[in-house]
C-alpha cells in the first residue's frame, strides 16, 4: 500500500527540484501567503533562518517580483546560485549582538518571515524550548524593526509556549493566528504564527 506521508513529501520535493528551489519548504510560504497576503511588490522583507534559500527565492521571484529588498539571515550560507540581486545576505546568529545590529541597520521592514528552527535533539521539551526562544526573539525584533501595518510570520514547535507568543502577537497586530500549511510533513509538530497589520 502506498505510504501517503512519503508520497506527499516526495511530490513537494520533486516539484521544488523541478522549479529550482533548494528545499520543499517553499510551498509552506506559498500557501501562507496565498491565504494571508503578507508581501507585495516593492516590500522590504527580512527572512530569518533563510538557508538554504527557498523562501528567499520565492519572495524574490513571486512576491516582491524583483522590486524591493530581502535581508536573508542564517547561521549557514544560502545555497542559491546566483544569489538574487534583491538579496542582502547576512551569515550568523540573528540574535547575537553583532548580527542583530546589522539586521537593525538594514531595517525597518514591511514584512518579517521566520522559518528559523533549532537543530532537533529528539527530546521534545528541549526542542520546543529552543524553538520558543527563537520565536520570542523574532517577535522582539518585529516589535522594533517591523513598520506599522507590517506583517509577520514565524515558525514555532507546538508546545507550552506557543500560546504565550501568540498572546504577545495579539497585542502587537490587528489580527494574529496560528496556521498549519498542508505542505508541512504529517509527522511534523511545527506550526506558523501569523501577525497581520502591526499596530502603531
Ligand atoms: C527549516 S530551515 C529554513 C529553510 C528556509 N526557509 C528555506 O526555505 O530554504 C531552518 C533554518 O534556521 C536556521 N537558524 C536556526 N537558528 C538560527 C539563528 N539563531 N539565526 C539564524 N538562523 C538560524 C538554521 O540554520 C536553518 O537553516
Amino acid at each position: 500500500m502506498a505510504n501517503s506521508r512519503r508520497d506527499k513529501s516526495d511530490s513537494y520535493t520533486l516539484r521544488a527540484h523541478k522549479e529550482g528551489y533548494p528545499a520543499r519548504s517553499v510551498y509552506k510560504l506559498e500557501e501562507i501567503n496565498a491565504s494571508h497576503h503578507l508581501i507585495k511588490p516593492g516590500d522590504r522583507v527580512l527572512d530569518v533562518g533563510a538557508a538554504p534559500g527557498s523562501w528567499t527565492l520565492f519572495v524574490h521571484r513571486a512576491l516582491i517580483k524583483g522590486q524591493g529588498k530581502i535581508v536573508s539571515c542564517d547561521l549557514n550560507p544560502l545555497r542559491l546560485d546566483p544569489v538574487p540581486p534583491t538579496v542582502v545576505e547576512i551569515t550568523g546568529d540573528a540574535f547575537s549582538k553583532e548580527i542583530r545590529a546589522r539586521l537593525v541597520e538594514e531595517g525597518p521592514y514591511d514584512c518579517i518571515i521566520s522559518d528559523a528552527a533549532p537543530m532537533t535533539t529528539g527530546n521534545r521539551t528541549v526542542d520546543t524550548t529552543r524553538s520558543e526562544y527563537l520565536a520570542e526573539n523574532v517577535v522582539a525584533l518585529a516589535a522594533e524593526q517591523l513598520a506599522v501595518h507590517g506583517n509577520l510570520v514565524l515558525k514555532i514547535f507546538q508546545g507550552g509556549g506557543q500560546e504565550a507568543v501568540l498572546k504577545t502577537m495579539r497585542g502587537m497586530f490587528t489580527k494574529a493566528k496560528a496556521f498549519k500549511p498542508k505542505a508541512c510533513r504529517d509527522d511534523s509538530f511545527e506550526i506558523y504564527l501569523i501577525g497581520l497589520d502591526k499596530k502603531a
Side-chain angles (χ1 to χ4, degrees):
M1 208 167 93
N3 177 327
S4 66
R5 181 167 66 81
R6 195 175 302 278
D7 287 348
K8 186 166 101 173
S9 88
D10 280 353
S11 73
Y12 283 117
T13 305
L14 285 171
R15 191 176 145 206
H17 185 71
K18 205 167 127 193
E19 295 179 356
Y21 290 105
R24 67 192 290 292
S25 50
V26 60
Y27 303 112
K28 300 177 202 170
L29 181 61
E30 182 184 59
E31 217 176 310
I32 292 166
N33 193 70
S35 46
H36 297 88
H37 313 289
L38 301 172
I39 300 169
K40 59 183 185 315
D43 275 356
R44 301 156 298 176
V45 179
L46 172 62
D47 184 355
V48 182
S54 291
W55 280 27
T56 288
L57 187 57
F58 181 72
V59 171
H60 169 77
R61 280 182 181 170
L63 303 184
I64 64 167
K65 299 184 192 286
Q67 308 160 44
K69 170 167 112 168
I70 313 163
V71 177
S72 301
C73 176
D74 202 287
L75 299 168
N76 302 305
L78 297 176
R79 276 198 281 116
L80 299 177
D81 187 15
V83 172
T86 51
V87 174
V88 176
E89 182 175 359
I90 296 177
T91 306
D93 179 347
F95 310 114
S96 67
K97 203 174 162 197
E98 183 202 340
I99 300 293
R100 197 180 191 282
R102 289 187 59 198
L103 300 182
V104 169
E105 218 174 270
E106 294 288 345
Y109 303 97
D110 302 301
C111 186
I112 298 180
I113 57 179
S114 172
D115 198 23
M119 288 271 277
T120 50
T121 61
N123 178 320
R124 180 87 185 248
T125 308
V126 171
D127 295 344
T128 305
T129 305
R130 289 181 180 165
S131 170
E132 277 166 33
Y133 165 83
L134 293 174
E136 283 164 2
N137 275 283
V138 171
V139 171
L141 192 59
E144 195 187 302
Q145 288 300 310
L146 188 63
V148 173
H149 302 305
N151 300 317
L152 168 69
V153 58
L154 63 88
K155 172 154 79 185
I156 189 164
F157 292 164
Q158 284 170 277
Q162 173 196 330
E163 275 310 315
V165 176
L166 198 52
K167 191 172 168 202
T168 307
M169 288 173 63
R170 288 201 174 108
M172 277 172 69
F173 293 90
T174 304
K175 191 170 178 191
K177 60 184 284 203
F179 181 78
K180 179 119 179 164
K182 291 189 186 72
C184 289
R185 293 182 195 275
D186 292 343
D187 57 353
S188 150
F189 54 97
E190 70 189 9
I191 195 159
Y192 291 83
L193 303 184
I194 300 172
L196 300 172
D197 187 21
K198 189 182 173 196
K199 295 175 192 170

